[in-house]
Amino acid sequence: MNAPTEYFEHGTAAERWDRARLFFDAKEYATAANILVALAGEAPEQLAPRLLLAHAYYHSAQLSRAEHELRAILERWPVEDYAQLMLGRTLERRGRAAEARPYLRLAAAMAGEFPE
């Protein structure tokens, strides 16, 4: 096993979560995603690692992976407004504005933002 993989997988789940957050906060999004992918797989019932993983994918321009993760999140937690917003933004960034609109409208409505 190579050293970077060992580093990503080293420690308890809480230690790896802290490490992923440090990399994310340092804008090292791809590295954060490498750590978070295992955490999300170990605890698929926990929203926070999956949402941060999707966010890391988005910021590291891994838009297909971000879309896939966000769709999986919304399948399990359809009322997660931030995931609705992120999926809309991801689809926009992928050049699919028409497909993004319903997600963005729903996210706005869930946040209490209604067009006048």
Side-chain angles (χ1 to χ4, degrees):
M1 198 177 272
N2 61 30
T5 303
E6 288 177 12
Y7 178 70
F8 296 151
E9 297 171 356
H10 178 74
T12 66
E15 290 169 337
R16 288 180 286 142
W17 171 254
D18 289 342
R19 187 177 308 122
R21 293 296 312 242
L22 287 171
F23 278 109
F24 188 89
D25 292 344
K27 297 183 175 29
E28 294 288 336
Y29 302 115
T31 303
N34 285 332
I35 297 166
L36 289 162
V37 72
L39 279 174
E42 289 170 21
E45 72 285 352
Q46 292 185 2
L47 176 61
R50 297 186 73 181
L51 203 51
L52 190 60
L53 174 60
H55 206 172
Y57 281 151
Y58 177 85
H59 282 299
S60 62
Q62 298 179 62
L63 300 178
S64 178
R65 288 180 175 171
E67 179 183 350
H68 176 77
E69 191 63 35
L70 289 163
R71 289 188 187 280
I73 289 168
L74 290 172
E75 190 173 300
R76 188 168 187 148
W77 296 280
V79 297
E80 179 52 49
D81 61 326
Y82 188 65
Q84 298 280 353
L85 175 65
M86 276 188 26
L87 180 55
R89 295 286 183 238
T90 300
L91 293 170
E92 279 183 332
R93 198 167 163 196
R94 294 190 78 190
R96 294 159 48 195
E99 192 178 342
R101 272 187 223 104
Y103 295 101
L104 296 173
R105 279 195 304 260
L106 186 54
M110 292 171 118
E113 301 167 7
F114 300 100
E116 295 181 22

